[in-house]
Amino acid sequence: MTDEPEDLALWCDARTFTPVRDHPVRWLDWEKDFELAVELDNSVSLESWLNVRDQGFVYCAVVKGDRALARAALWTYSESRWEVAAVRTREECRGRGMAKSVVSFVTAHILAAGRAPTLHTQPTNLAMLRAAKAVGFQLIDADPARDGA
């Protein structure tokens, strides 16, 4: 048994989605942008970077010069649902809306592909919850018809 709180499950759809375009976001290239991934998260190795690609992840980031300031991943984990995952913002860039921009970018892509956007986070991650809710994500319990969809 663990003391870790259970992740909250959130969903979004075209009705609830509110695009946020406060910062320019672009997809990261698996071959050319590894250094950006490492620079934002020094725990990333080339092996782990390529491993997550093989698991269906694609990353985007707010990039300024040679620095990734915030990033998020798109995880294509099923035919009908895709996840907004691995959101991270540089400590010195927090509170500027960059997380909202990357979450919005991935969510817009998921909706354009005709999939249902999902997102999971711990209940103690208040910054992630604020970013997700600003883009239109809601707790799955908020719409019981979506639960298990």
Side-chain angles (χ1 to χ4, degrees):
M1 198 154 178
T2 177
D3 291 336
E4 290 284 322
E6 191 171 316
D7 280 354
L8 296 174
L10 296 96
W11 64 273
C12 184
D13 65 17
R15 292 178 298 121
T16 64
F17 180 53
T18 304
V20 175
R21 295 182 180 98
D22 295 342
H23 299 277
V25 180
R26 70 169 176 86
W27 293 112
L28 296 182
D29 181 275
W30 288 105
E31 307 304 323
K32 298 176 186 169
D33 291 329
F34 172 66
E35 294 302 321
L36 286 174
V38 171
E39 205 260 333
L40 184 62
D41 181 358
N42 62 11
S43 68
V44 174
S45 67
L46 181 57
E47 182 181 359
S48 66
W49 174 246
L50 297 175
N51 186 37
V52 295
R53 176 191 64 187
D54 296 343
Q55 293 175 31
F57 287 84
V58 181
Y59 283 88
C60 69
V62 173
V63 178
K64 186 169 185 177
D66 62 350
R67 298 183 78 202
L69 305 180
R71 67 118 200 262
L74 161 66
W75 180 26
T76 57
Y77 69 93
S78 83
E79 286 296 317
S80 62
R81 291 180 174 195
W82 290 355
E83 179 93 357
V84 178
V87 178
R88 177 171 285 196
T89 303
R90 288 182 165 283
E91 191 170 338
E92 69 271 17
C93 296
R94 292 179 182 161
R96 298 183 193 169
M98 291 183 197
K100 286 188 274 188
S101 291
V102 293
V103 169
S104 176
F105 184 85
V106 173
T107 304
H109 181 80
I110 294 169
L111 289 168
R115 304 306 194 274
T118 61
L119 186 149
H120 290 80
T121 191
Q122 292 191 341
T124 56
N125 191 343
L126 300 179
M128 184 67 248
L129 288 169
R130 280 192 301 274
K133 288 180 179 183
V135 170
F137 279 87
Q138 299 177 17
L139 291 174
I140 285 182
D141 292 341
D143 184 354
R146 304 282 297 182
D147 206 5

